[in-house]
Amino acid sequence: MVSEETSSRRKRRNSRPLDDTRLKDLALAYVARFATSSGKLADYLRRKIRERGFEGEPPDIDALVQRYVELGYIDDEAFARTREEGLRGRGYGARRVEQALRAAGIEEGIRAQVAPSEYQARHAAYRFAERRRFGPFGGEVDRDRQQKQIAAMVRAGHSFDAARAMVEARDTDSASEWVAEAEGMD
């Protein structure tokens, strides 16, 4: 539980309005600490200005973010690739990856560049089913349970067809063959 003393001390420390120098320091500390996109940095700075206020003329946040992009502190494409690979590696589908990149403020062109291929999408579905013990990885299940597994895969961003193919696969070999079929499609 937070005591009143701690709460008032925290409030006192953050209550000073920002100025140009403090805003730049906040931005630099943020990009030094977190792998981020230009959209996430802009959102962070706007939130800080909303919380603490700003002394003087409102700053041009987009210009500050653009300066950090030019300096190489922020690389939206590298961020998008890393995020996409991480999510896909955990078994999430293309739709879920797209949502995460859109929420991070990644432009549509970059999102299209890093979109997973058919083979990668199928491999992610395989990985998700394996991790969650769906379909051939979980043993015999009834039709109702299969429907729930398909729904979980769709919520994880996989297409309905991919989820159904994975959950209804007879065994792990047929699931592996389904993934391998897409290798030549790209």
mmCIF file of all heavy atoms in Angstrom, residues 97-131:
data_model
loop_
_atom_site.group_PDB
_atom_site.id
_atom_site.type_symbol
_atom_site.label_atom_id
_atom_site.label_comp_id
_atom_site.label_asym_id
_atom_site.label_seq_id
_atom_site.Cartn_x
_atom_site.Cartn_y
_atom_site.Cartn_z
ATOM 1 N N VAL A 97 -0.205 -9.692 -35.506
ATOM 2 C CA VAL A 97 1.028 -8.931 -35.751
ATOM 3 C C VAL A 97 0.670 -7.560 -36.318
ATOM 4 O O VAL A 97 1.204 -6.533 -35.877
ATOM 5 C CB VAL A 97 1.965 -9.704 -36.697
ATOM 6 C CG1 VAL A 97 3.124 -8.836 -37.154
ATOM 7 C CG2 VAL A 97 2.477 -10.977 -36.029
ATOM 8 N N GLU A 98 -0.234 -7.540 -37.285
ATOM 9 C CA GLU A 98 -0.681 -6.284 -37.898
ATOM 10 C C GLU A 98 -1.262 -5.333 -36.844
ATOM 11 O O GLU A 98 -0.972 -4.144 -36.826
ATOM 12 C CB GLU A 98 -1.725 -6.592 -38.979
ATOM 13 C CG GLU A 98 -2.519 -5.417 -39.475
ATOM 14 C CD GLU A 98 -1.782 -4.551 -40.462
ATOM 15 O OE1 GLU A 98 -0.756 -4.990 -40.981
ATOM 16 O OE2 GLU A 98 -2.241 -3.410 -40.681
ATOM 17 N N GLN A 99 -2.077 -5.866 -35.948
ATOM 18 C CA GLN A 99 -2.675 -5.042 -34.893
ATOM 19 C C GLN A 99 -1.609 -4.464 -33.968
ATOM 20 O O GLN A 99 -1.676 -3.293 -33.584
ATOM 21 C CB GLN A 99 -3.670 -5.866 -34.077
ATOM 22 C CG GLN A 99 -4.928 -6.220 -34.819
ATOM 23 C CD GLN A 99 -5.789 -7.218 -34.060
ATOM 24 O OE1 GLN A 99 -5.342 -7.854 -33.107
ATOM 25 N NE2 GLN A 99 -7.030 -7.375 -34.491
ATOM 26 N N ALA A 100 -0.620 -5.268 -33.611
ATOM 27 C CA ALA A 100 0.441 -4.800 -32.714
ATOM 28 C C ALA A 100 1.267 -3.700 -33.376
ATOM 29 O O ALA A 100 1.620 -2.701 -32.737
ATOM 30 C CB ALA A 100 1.337 -5.961 -32.303
ATOM 31 N N LEU A 101 1.553 -3.863 -34.656
ATOM 32 C CA LEU A 101 2.345 -2.846 -35.361
ATOM 33 C C LEU A 101 1.537 -1.569 -35.570
ATOM 34 O O LEU A 101 2.080 -0.469 -35.465
ATOM 35 C CB LEU A 101 2.855 -3.398 -36.691
ATOM 36 C CG LEU A 101 3.850 -4.552 -36.586
ATOM 37 C CD1 LEU A 101 4.251 -5.037 -37.969
ATOM 38 C CD2 LEU A 101 5.061 -4.158 -35.773
ATOM 39 N N ARG A 102 0.254 -1.709 -35.849
ATOM 40 C CA ARG A 102 -0.590 -0.517 -36.000
ATOM 41 C C ARG A 102 -0.674 0.240 -34.675
ATOM 42 O O ARG A 102 -0.586 1.460 -34.638
ATOM 43 C CB ARG A 102 -1.989 -0.901 -36.466
ATOM 44 C CG ARG A 102 -2.878 0.343 -36.670
ATOM 45 C CD ARG A 102 -4.261 0.024 -37.161
ATOM 46 N NE ARG A 102 -4.216 -0.507 -38.503
ATOM 47 C CZ ARG A 102 -4.789 -1.649 -38.864
ATOM 48 N NH1 ARG A 102 -5.456 -2.366 -37.993
ATOM 49 N NH2 ARG A 102 -4.721 -2.078 -40.098
ATOM 50 N N ALA A 103 -0.799 -0.488 -33.575
ATOM 51 C CA ALA A 103 -0.861 0.145 -32.255
ATOM 52 C C ALA A 103 0.446 0.847 -31.913
ATOM 53 O O ALA A 103 0.448 1.828 -31.173
ATOM 54 C CB ALA A 103 -1.185 -0.896 -31.185
ATOM 55 N N ALA A 104 1.556 0.366 -32.462
ATOM 56 C CA ALA A 104 2.855 0.988 -32.212
ATOM 57 C C ALA A 104 3.108 2.183 -33.124
ATOM 58 O O ALA A 104 4.155 2.823 -33.027
ATOM 59 C CB ALA A 104 3.975 -0.038 -32.389
ATOM 60 N N GLY A 105 2.160 2.486 -34.011
ATOM 61 C CA GLY A 105 2.292 3.648 -34.877
ATOM 62 C C GLY A 105 3.145 3.403 -36.108
ATOM 63 O O GLY A 105 3.654 4.346 -36.712
ATOM 64 N N ILE A 106 3.289 2.167 -36.524
ATOM 65 C CA ILE A 106 4.080 1.830 -37.709
ATOM 66 C C ILE A 106 3.242 2.100 -38.952
ATOM 67 O O ILE A 106 2.081 1.701 -39.022
ATOM 68 C CB ILE A 106 4.525 0.345 -37.675
ATOM 69 C CG1 ILE A 106 5.333 0.049 -36.419
ATOM 70 C CG2 ILE A 106 5.292 -0.027 -38.922
ATOM 71 C CD1 ILE A 106 6.626 0.804 -36.301
ATOM 72 N N GLU A 107 3.846 2.773 -39.936
ATOM 73 C CA GLU A 107 3.132 3.124 -41.159
ATOM 74 C C GLU A 107 2.727 1.883 -41.947
ATOM 75 O O GLU A 107 3.359 0.839 -41.852
ATOM 76 C CB GLU A 107 4.019 4.000 -42.041
ATOM 77 C CG GLU A 107 4.336 5.342 -41.453
ATOM 78 C CD GLU A 107 5.292 6.135 -42.322
ATOM 79 O OE1 GLU A 107 5.720 5.634 -43.387
ATOM 80 O OE2 GLU A 107 5.611 7.258 -41.930
ATOM 81 N N GLU A 108 1.691 2.032 -42.769
ATOM 82 C CA GLU A 108 1.141 0.912 -43.519
ATOM 83 C C GLU A 108 2.168 0.288 -44.459
ATOM 84 O O GLU A 108 2.238 -0.933 -44.596
ATOM 85 C CB GLU A 108 -0.083 1.364 -44.315
ATOM 86 C CG GLU A 108 -0.793 0.242 -45.001
ATOM 87 C CD GLU A 108 -2.054 0.694 -45.714
ATOM 88 O OE1 GLU A 108 -2.518 1.812 -45.481
ATOM 89 O OE2 GLU A 108 -2.566 -0.112 -46.504
ATOM 90 N N GLY A 109 3.000 1.096 -45.102
ATOM 91 C CA GLY A 109 4.003 0.574 -46.023
ATOM 92 C C GLY A 109 4.999 -0.342 -45.330
ATOM 93 O O GLY A 109 5.371 -1.397 -45.863
ATOM 94 N N ILE A 110 5.421 0.036 -44.162
ATOM 95 C CA ILE A 110 6.365 -0.782 -43.404
ATOM 96 C C ILE A 110 5.666 -2.041 -42.904
ATOM 97 O O ILE A 110 6.245 -3.134 -42.930
ATOM 98 C CB ILE A 110 6.983 0.016 -42.239
ATOM 99 C CG1 ILE A 110 7.822 1.172 -42.787
ATOM 100 C CG2 ILE A 110 7.817 -0.878 -41.341
ATOM 101 C CD1 ILE A 110 8.345 2.120 -41.734
ATOM 102 N N ARG A 111 4.415 -1.909 -42.465
ATOM 103 C CA ARG A 111 3.662 -3.089 -42.016
ATOM 104 C C ARG A 111 3.537 -4.100 -43.147
ATOM 105 O O ARG A 111 3.647 -5.306 -42.923
ATOM 106 C CB ARG A 111 2.272 -2.689 -41.515
ATOM 107 C CG ARG A 111 2.295 -1.934 -40.207
ATOM 108 C CD ARG A 111 0.925 -1.833 -39.565
ATOM 109 N NE ARG A 111 -0.172 -1.463 -40.416
ATOM 110 C CZ ARG A 111 -0.705 -0.250 -40.514
ATOM 111 N NH1 ARG A 111 -0.236 0.733 -39.771
ATOM 112 N NH2 ARG A 111 -1.722 -0.013 -41.310
ATOM 113 N N ALA A 112 3.322 -3.613 -44.382
ATOM 114 C CA ALA A 112 3.198 -4.513 -45.528
ATOM 115 C C ALA A 112 4.534 -5.197 -45.818
ATOM 116 O O ALA A 112 4.559 -6.376 -46.201
ATOM 117 C CB ALA A 112 2.717 -3.740 -46.749
ATOM 118 N N GLN A 113 5.630 -4.484 -45.656
ATOM 119 C CA GLN A 113 6.958 -5.063 -45.908
ATOM 120 C C GLN A 113 7.271 -6.214 -44.966
ATOM 121 O O GLN A 113 7.908 -7.184 -45.373
ATOM 122 C CB GLN A 113 8.053 -4.015 -45.736
ATOM 123 C CG GLN A 113 8.196 -3.055 -46.866
ATOM 124 C CD GLN A 113 9.289 -2.022 -46.563
ATOM 125 O OE1 GLN A 113 9.796 -1.938 -45.450
ATOM 126 N NE2 GLN A 113 9.651 -1.260 -47.570
ATOM 127 N N VAL A 114 6.886 -6.088 -43.725
ATOM 128 C CA VAL A 114 7.254 -7.106 -42.736
ATOM 129 C C VAL A 114 6.163 -8.156 -42.518
ATOM 130 O O VAL A 114 6.326 -9.032 -41.682
ATOM 131 C CB VAL A 114 7.646 -6.469 -41.377
ATOM 132 C CG1 VAL A 114 8.829 -5.550 -41.530
ATOM 133 C CG2 VAL A 114 6.477 -5.772 -40.726
ATOM 134 N N ALA A 115 5.088 -8.085 -43.286
ATOM 135 C CA ALA A 115 4.003 -9.062 -43.145
ATOM 136 C C ALA A 115 4.546 -10.466 -43.422
ATOM 137 O O ALA A 115 5.354 -10.659 -44.331
ATOM 138 C CB ALA A 115 2.869 -8.735 -44.107
ATOM 139 N N PRO A 116 4.132 -11.451 -42.645
ATOM 140 C CA PRO A 116 4.651 -12.804 -42.833
ATOM 141 C C PRO A 116 4.179 -13.431 -44.145
ATOM 142 O O PRO A 116 3.080 -13.173 -44.614
ATOM 143 C CB PRO A 116 4.097 -13.576 -41.634
ATOM 144 C CG PRO A 116 2.953 -12.788 -41.151
ATOM 145 C CD PRO A 116 3.202 -11.369 -41.526
ATOM 146 N N SER A 117 5.047 -14.247 -44.719
ATOM 147 C CA SER A 117 4.692 -14.999 -45.926
ATOM 148 C C SER A 117 3.729 -16.121 -45.533
ATOM 149 O O SER A 117 3.494 -16.373 -44.350
ATOM 150 C CB SER A 117 5.954 -15.583 -46.550
ATOM 151 O OG SER A 117 6.525 -16.550 -45.675
ATOM 152 N N GLU A 118 3.211 -16.819 -46.529
ATOM 153 C CA GLU A 118 2.293 -17.923 -46.258
ATOM 154 C C GLU A 118 2.989 -19.009 -45.442
ATOM 155 O O GLU A 118 2.421 -19.549 -44.493
ATOM 156 C CB GLU A 118 1.755 -18.505 -47.575
ATOM 157 C CG GLU A 118 0.818 -19.683 -47.396
ATOM 158 C CD GLU A 118 -0.495 -19.336 -46.694
ATOM 159 O OE1 GLU A 118 -0.898 -18.166 -46.692
ATOM 160 O OE2 GLU A 118 -1.121 -20.265 -46.144
ATOM 161 N N TYR A 119 4.221 -19.307 -45.801
ATOM 162 C CA TYR A 119 4.967 -20.317 -45.053
ATOM 163 C C TYR A 119 5.155 -19.882 -43.598
ATOM 164 O O TYR A 119 4.946 -20.662 -42.674
ATOM 165 C CB TYR A 119 6.329 -20.569 -45.710
ATOM 166 C CG TYR A 119 7.217 -21.466 -44.885
ATOM 167 C CD1 TYR A 119 6.983 -22.838 -44.821
ATOM 168 C CD2 TYR A 119 8.272 -20.948 -44.149
ATOM 169 C CE1 TYR A 119 7.776 -23.669 -44.048
ATOM 170 C CE2 TYR A 119 9.078 -21.766 -43.377
ATOM 171 C CZ TYR A 119 8.833 -23.127 -43.327
ATOM 172 O OH TYR A 119 9.617 -23.936 -42.554
ATOM 173 N N GLN A 120 5.540 -18.626 -43.395
ATOM 174 C CA GLN A 120 5.741 -18.120 -42.031
ATOM 175 C C GLN A 120 4.444 -18.130 -41.240
ATOM 176 O O GLN A 120 4.442 -18.442 -40.047
ATOM 177 C CB GLN A 120 6.326 -16.710 -42.079
ATOM 178 C CG GLN A 120 7.740 -16.656 -42.597
ATOM 179 C CD GLN A 120 8.207 -15.230 -42.842
ATOM 180 O OE1 GLN A 120 7.416 -14.353 -43.197
ATOM 181 N NE2 GLN A 120 9.497 -15.000 -42.676
ATOM 182 N N ALA A 121 3.335 -17.796 -41.904
ATOM 183 C CA ALA A 121 2.031 -17.799 -41.229
ATOM 184 C C ALA A 121 1.645 -19.217 -40.816
ATOM 185 O O ALA A 121 1.158 -19.440 -39.696
ATOM 186 C CB ALA A 121 0.969 -17.198 -42.140
ATOM 187 N N ARG A 122 1.885 -20.177 -41.695
ATOM 188 C CA ARG A 122 1.565 -21.562 -41.350
ATOM 189 C C ARG A 122 2.481 -22.076 -40.237
ATOM 190 O O ARG A 122 2.045 -22.810 -39.358
ATOM 191 C CB ARG A 122 1.677 -22.463 -42.577
ATOM 192 C CG ARG A 122 0.535 -22.282 -43.554
ATOM 193 C CD ARG A 122 0.626 -23.269 -44.683
ATOM 194 N NE ARG A 122 -0.457 -23.085 -45.640
ATOM 195 C CZ ARG A 122 -0.776 -23.978 -46.557
ATOM 196 N NH1 ARG A 122 -0.103 -25.118 -46.655
ATOM 197 N NH2 ARG A 122 -1.767 -23.744 -47.387
ATOM 198 N N HIS A 123 3.738 -21.703 -40.314
ATOM 199 C CA HIS A 123 4.676 -22.140 -39.273
ATOM 200 C C HIS A 123 4.269 -21.547 -37.918
ATOM 201 O O HIS A 123 4.377 -22.210 -36.885
ATOM 202 C CB HIS A 123 6.107 -21.742 -39.626
ATOM 203 C CG HIS A 123 7.117 -22.357 -38.731
ATOM 204 N ND1 HIS A 123 7.575 -21.729 -37.597
ATOM 205 C CD2 HIS A 123 7.734 -23.559 -38.775
ATOM 206 C CE1 HIS A 123 8.439 -22.515 -36.997
ATOM 207 N NE2 HIS A 123 8.559 -23.632 -37.677
ATOM 208 N N ALA A 124 3.801 -20.307 -37.917
ATOM 209 C CA ALA A 124 3.338 -19.683 -36.676
ATOM 210 C C ALA A 124 2.118 -20.423 -36.135
ATOM 211 O O ALA A 124 1.995 -20.624 -34.920
ATOM 212 C CB ALA A 124 3.019 -18.206 -36.899
ATOM 213 N N ALA A 125 1.215 -20.822 -37.024
ATOM 214 C CA ALA A 125 0.036 -21.591 -36.587
ATOM 215 C C ALA A 125 0.471 -22.924 -35.986
ATOM 216 O O ALA A 125 -0.057 -23.351 -34.955
ATOM 217 C CB ALA A 125 -0.914 -21.814 -37.765
ATOM 218 N N TYR A 126 1.436 -23.559 -36.620
ATOM 219 C CA TYR A 126 1.978 -24.825 -36.107
ATOM 220 C C TYR A 126 2.573 -24.606 -34.719
ATOM 221 O O TYR A 126 2.311 -25.354 -33.791
ATOM 222 C CB TYR A 126 3.041 -25.337 -37.081
ATOM 223 C CG TYR A 126 3.659 -26.659 -36.700
ATOM 224 C CD1 TYR A 126 3.152 -27.844 -37.197
ATOM 225 C CD2 TYR A 126 4.771 -26.718 -35.868
ATOM 226 C CE1 TYR A 126 3.721 -29.076 -36.874
ATOM 227 C CE2 TYR A 126 5.349 -27.930 -35.529
ATOM 228 C CZ TYR A 126 4.816 -29.103 -36.035
ATOM 229 O OH TYR A 126 5.382 -30.306 -35.705
ATOM 230 N N ARG A 127 3.362 -23.546 -34.594
ATOM 231 C CA ARG A 127 4.027 -23.232 -33.320
ATOM 232 C C ARG A 127 2.993 -22.955 -32.219
ATOM 233 O O ARG A 127 3.136 -23.389 -31.088
ATOM 234 C CB ARG A 127 4.961 -22.032 -33.506
ATOM 235 C CG ARG A 127 5.637 -21.551 -32.282
ATOM 236 C CD ARG A 127 6.750 -22.511 -31.852
ATOM 237 N NE ARG A 127 7.287 -22.055 -30.593
ATOM 238 C CZ ARG A 127 7.054 -22.645 -29.420
ATOM 239 N NH1 ARG A 127 6.310 -23.711 -29.357
ATOM 240 N NH2 ARG A 127 7.569 -22.163 -28.324
ATOM 241 N N PHE A 128 1.940 -22.201 -32.556
ATOM 242 C CA PHE A 128 0.897 -21.883 -31.588
ATOM 243 C C PHE A 128 0.171 -23.147 -31.138
ATOM 244 O O PHE A 128 -0.058 -23.354 -29.942
ATOM 245 C CB PHE A 128 -0.088 -20.878 -32.190
ATOM 246 C CG PHE A 128 -1.073 -20.330 -31.206
ATOM 247 C CD1 PHE A 128 -0.722 -19.304 -30.351
ATOM 248 C CD2 PHE A 128 -2.358 -20.842 -31.127
ATOM 249 C CE1 PHE A 128 -1.632 -18.802 -29.429
ATOM 250 C CE2 PHE A 128 -3.275 -20.342 -30.213
ATOM 251 C CZ PHE A 128 -2.909 -19.323 -29.361
ATOM 252 N N ALA A 129 -0.181 -23.996 -32.101
ATOM 253 C CA ALA A 129 -0.884 -25.245 -31.768
ATOM 254 C C ALA A 129 0.004 -26.139 -30.913
ATOM 255 O O ALA A 129 -0.470 -26.754 -29.955
ATOM 256 C CB ALA A 129 -1.304 -25.965 -33.047
ATOM 257 N N GLU A 130 1.268 -26.179 -31.236
ATOM 258 C CA GLU A 130 2.203 -27.000 -30.463
ATOM 259 C C GLU A 130 2.333 -26.479 -29.029
ATOM 260 O O GLU A 130 2.278 -27.240 -28.068
ATOM 261 C CB GLU A 130 3.565 -26.975 -31.158
ATOM 262 C CG GLU A 130 4.632 -27.800 -30.496
ATOM 263 C CD GLU A 130 5.945 -27.709 -31.254
ATOM 264 O OE1 GLU A 130 6.324 -26.598 -31.687
ATOM 265 O OE2 GLU A 130 6.590 -28.755 -31.398
ATOM 266 N N ARG A 131 2.481 -25.168 -28.912
ATOM 267 C CA ARG A 131 2.641 -24.558 -27.590
ATOM 268 C C ARG A 131 1.405 -24.733 -26.723
ATOM 269 O O ARG A 131 1.495 -24.982 -25.521
ATOM 270 C CB ARG A 131 2.960 -23.073 -27.761
ATOM 271 C CG ARG A 131 3.485 -22.432 -26.500
ATOM 272 C CD ARG A 131 3.746 -20.976 -26.697
ATOM 273 N NE ARG A 131 2.439 -20.328 -26.702
ATOM 274 C CZ ARG A 131 2.223 -19.095 -27.057
ATOM 275 N NH1 ARG A 131 3.200 -18.347 -27.465
ATOM 276 N NH2 ARG A 131 1.023 -18.577 -27.007
#
